[in-house]
Amino acid sequence: MKQSDSSRFFAHPEYHQCSPEYCSHETQNSTLQEQLHTCESEECEILRLPMEDFDRMVIESASTPTPPEGAFVWPTDMTKPITPFFAPKSTYVAISHVWSDGTGVGLREPGRVKECLYRGFAIVAAGYGYKGFWWDTICVPRDRRAKDVMLKNMHLNYKYAAFTLVHEYLCQFPWRQDGTPAIGLVLSPWFTHGWTALELAMSNKV
C-alpha cells in the first residue's frame, strides 16, 4: 500500500512526519489532551459519575481476605441511573487506550466524562452482550487508599475481562482479513507504551 493511500487511515495531519520509531503526536502532553468528542452535537453533555460509590466498593473489597475475581465496572445500560457494580470474571469488557487519543481524564475532574464517549464504549460492550465495562479513566478511585489498591492490581482487570477492547483513535484502518488492521495497530502509539503491553499480555482476548 502506498503512503499516499494509507495516510488517510491515520487521524492526525502530521502523519507524514512519523516513522515506525517515532510519532509526532506522541510528543504532546497527553495529560492536557481534551477528551475526545464522538457525536455531532457541539454541546456534549458531561456525565458526573458517583466516584464516591466506586471508592467505597474498592475499599470494602480490599478488606476481604480473598477478593473475588472480577472488577468494579460501569453499566452499559444508560436508561437507568449510572452506578458502579461488581462484575464477576468474564462478564465485562476492559478498555485499553492511551490518553493521547482523547480517552483520558484530560483537564476534567475524576468521574467527569463526555456522554458521547461513555456511550460509545457502552454500545460496543452491550453489542457483545455484556452489561459492564472497565475503563481506567473512570475506574481509578479518588481516595488515596482505594487508588493504591486499584493501581497495585490494575492488570487483573484485563486478566478477568471477557476480552479487551483496544481504542486507537489514530489508527482507522477498515476491518479486513488481510492483516492490515493488525499492522496499523502495531505501528500506532498504543503499541509503544509499557502499560498497554502489560494489558495486552494479561488479556485473554483482544
Side-chain angles (χ1 to χ4, degrees):
M1 182 180 293
K2 297 180 180 179
Q3 182 172 349
S4 59
D5 295 331
S6 63
S7 61
R8 70 181 187 276
F9 297 134
F10 292 86
H12 68 96
E14 300 84 8
Y15 167 66
H16 65 280
Q17 301 175 3
C18 300
S19 70
E21 295 80 20
Y22 170 80
C23 175
S24 61
H25 190 78
E26 282 296 278
T27 61
Q28 301 178 15
N29 186 347
S30 61
T31 60
L32 301 179
Q33 181 69 35
E34 176 63 24
Q35 284 185 355
L36 185 64
H37 192 63
T38 61
C39 65
E40 297 180 357
S41 173
E42 295 183 0
E43 297 295 331
C44 186
E45 179 183 353
I46 302 299
L47 295 180
R48 299 178 180 274
L49 303 177
M51 293 302 295
E52 61 279 1
D53 293 342
F54 197 91
D55 291 6
R56 174 181 50 79
M57 295 171 67
V58 172
I59 293 175
E60 291 177 353
S61 176
S63 64
T64 60
T66 306
E69 295 184 348
F72 295 106
V73 301
W74 294 93
T76 58
D77 185 358
M78 298 180 67
T79 63
K80 303 176 182 178
I82 300 177
T83 56
F85 66 96
F86 179 78
K89 179 180 179 180
S90 301
T91 64
Y92 67 94
V93 175
I95 310 298
S96 181
H97 66 107
V98 292
W99 281 28
S100 60
D101 67 6
T103 50
V105 176
L107 298 177
R108 302 185 185 282
E109 297 179 21
R112 305 295 185 263
V113 64
K114 288 186 177 179
E115 186 270 345
C116 62
L117 193 55
Y118 183 104
R119 184 180 299 277
F121 288 140
I123 289 175
V124 173
Y128 284 95
Y130 297 98
K131 296 182 178 180
F133 63 99
W134 190 93
W135 174 24
D136 65 350
T137 296
I138 50 176
C139 289
V140 174
R142 299 174 303 173
D143 178 85
R144 172 56 61 182
R145 183 159 57 110
K147 185 175 182 179
D148 289 344
V149 171
M150 176 62 71
L151 293 178
K152 181 180 179 181
N153 300 301
M154 185 176 290
H155 61 289
L156 297 178
N157 295 302
Y158 295 90
K159 177 181 179 180
Y160 295 146
F163 69 88
T164 295
L165 172 67
V166 175
H167 181 276
E168 178 45 79
Y169 180 63
L170 299 182
C171 178
Q172 300 181 3
F173 276 78
W175 180 254
R176 297 173 180 169
Q177 296 294 339
D178 60 0
T180 53
I183 294 175
L185 191 61
V186 169
L187 295 178
S188 73
W190 178 84
F191 206 73
T192 65
H193 294 277
W195 70 83
T196 51
L198 176 60
E199 293 164 4
L200 176 62
M202 296 300 297
S203 300
N204 294 303
K205 184 185 298 184
V206 177

